[in-house]
Amino acid sequence: MPKRIVVELEDINMVYHTLENETLAIKNLSLQMHEGEIIGIVGPSGCGKSTLLSLISGLIKPTSGRVIVNGELVTKPLRNIGYMFQKDQLFDWRNILNNVTIGLQIQGKLNEQTLLEAKELLKSYGLEEFMYSYPYQLSGGMRQRVALIRTLLLKPEILLLDEPFSALDYQTRLAISDEVGLILRENKKTAILVTHDIAEAISLCDRIIIMSKRPGTIKDNIEINLSCNEKKTPIKLREAPEFRHYFNKIWKELDIHVQ
Ligand code: ADP
Ligand code: MG
């Protein structure tokens, strides 16, 4: 059975107006996302990647074209969408438990049951002993994990990840992206991951969209199929024989020049 379409972008154009000028950020972009799919988005800085995520979440409206989520036209910010950014946006004055429950609290969903879920998630992601610590006491990787737990507790149907690992050092980034990849698969989340890291995108995603420089259009759409005999963790998948082929292809298409 073909998978259900969760997100549909129909011929989107997005123009930003400022006092001085107008910027065509996205041009004639169409895209469909299926249930449970993890899509990677790569493209030069300023090509409209973050704009694309804001459009899907309903935070901004396209100048023309339509955004459809679960068969309905998006006209206002959606609730069933979780966001994760480069900066973890934890509140320094709240302990870790109170940081992960803030979304629930705001939505009026904090109760005995959800509090228990929060504690369980902290436990399963190795943060039990830090429940009553404060953000400054945690490493960058742990803080990102806290941000992810906070997002997952709201049980979003779609996750939008905007370069969530790019502020982390290489080792931590590898470990945490591996973990997040597994968590997304376990929870069968539909997700979009914007990243600068080609290897990260290949190891985590089912499909990679390459965007052109501004105005952002879709330059290529690459299905990723990696063979791996062991458990398919993102780190193991980097050793798959096809990995290099995808890497070289995407690298060439991105056409990165050292200035
Ligand atoms: P990316 O995430 O790929 O780096 P963005 O989506 O943030 O790109 O931005 C795409 C283009 O739109 C850039 O040229 C940026 O300067 C412009 N832009 C983004 N947000 C705004 C805004 N609120 N007002 C005006 N221009 C904007
Ligand atoms: Mg961006």
Side-chain angles (χ1 to χ4, degrees):
M1 211 173 72
K3 287 217 167 143
R4 189 169 69 87
I5 294 171
V6 181
V7 178
E8 240 180 316
L9 302 175
E10 286 180 2
D11 203 15
I12 299 286
N13 284 283
M14 181 68 207
V15 181
Y16 283 112
H17 297 276
T18 59
L19 285 178
E20 301 82 40
N21 55 14
E22 45 183 54
T23 308
L24 178 59
I26 290 184
K27 190 180 167 188
N28 302 131
L29 189 147
S30 296
L31 173 67
Q32 289 187 339
M33 252 184 103
H34 297 90
E35 190 169 20
E37 199 176 24
I38 302 180
I39 294 190
I41 301 207
V42 296
S45 154
C47 75
K49 302 182 293 296
S50 298
T51 299
L52 196 67
L53 298 191
S54 302
L55 283 164
I56 294 172
S57 68
L59 287 173
I60 58 174
K61 282 192 188 142
T63 309
S64 68
R66 305 200 304 165
V67 180
I68 296 162
V69 173
N70 289 329
E72 289 190 18
L73 187 68
V74 174
T75 54
K76 57 179 192 301
L78 295 174
R79 272 224 165 168
N80 58 343
I81 288 194
Y83 244 114
M84 202 171 147
F85 303 94
Q86 180 173 338
K87 205 175 160 308
D88 53 53
Q89 298 180 322
L90 300 185
F91 297 101
D92 292 337
W93 62 92
R94 294 177 74 110
N95 69 26
I96 298 307
L97 181 61
N98 290 337
N99 259 292
V100 299
T101 54
I102 191 164
L104 291 169
Q105 199 181 348
I106 290 170
Q107 294 193 5
K109 292 181 189 157
L110 186 57
N111 52 42
E112 232 169 89
Q113 171 63 27
T114 53
L115 184 64
L116 193 69
E117 277 175 32
K119 289 181 176 171
E120 285 300 319
L121 270 186
L122 285 168
K123 198 164 154 187
S124 46
Y125 300 143
L127 289 161
E128 191 182 20
E129 56 184 298
F130 294 95
M131 217 177 285
Y132 301 105
S133 303
Y134 285 81
Y136 75 91
Q137 296 170 299
L138 271 61
S139 68
M142 288 161 120
R143 294 174 60 120
Q144 257 331 12
R145 233 180 294 157
V146 173
L148 179 67
I149 294 172
R150 180 177 58 191
T151 308
L152 288 176
L153 275 172
L154 295 171
K155 303 203 169 63
E157 188 190 351
I158 305 163
L159 272 169
L160 304 176
L161 311 168
D162 200 350
E163 305 192 35
F165 315 122
S166 52
L168 305 173
D169 64 77
Y170 183 69
Q171 304 284 341
T172 311
R173 201 164 79 214
L174 261 187
I176 195 92
S177 67
D178 204 47
E179 254 175 48
V180 169
L182 290 174
I183 294 168
L184 294 179
R185 298 267 175 226
E186 261 169 33
N187 293 281
K188 299 194 170 55
K189 293 290 180 199
T190 307
I192 301 192
L193 169 73
V194 170
T195 178
H196 275 118
D197 188 329
I198 302 174
E200 183 179 287
I202 301 170
S203 61
L204 247 64
C205 302
D206 301 308
R207 182 150 68 99
I208 296 180
I209 307 284
I210 302 178
M211 286 179 69
S212 68
K213 63 178 196 300
R214 189 167 61 83
T217 52
I218 294 182
K219 197 169 170 187
D220 204 355
N221 187 339
I222 303 170
E223 292 274 348
I224 305 292
N225 286 300
L226 299 171
S227 44
C228 179
N229 296 326
E230 298 165 70
K231 187 176 180 206
K232 288 190 170 186
T233 72
I235 286 183
K236 277 283 164 225
L237 286 170
R238 292 180 189 226
E239 290 162 20
E242 305 88 356
F243 192 90
R244 261 186 50 196
H245 152 76
Y246 288 122
F247 192 98
N248 291 334
K249 183 173 166 63
I250 296 169
W251 174 261
K252 278 200 193 112
E253 288 194 45
L254 275 174
D255 199 17
I256 298 163
H257 297 291
V258 179
Q259 312 260 329

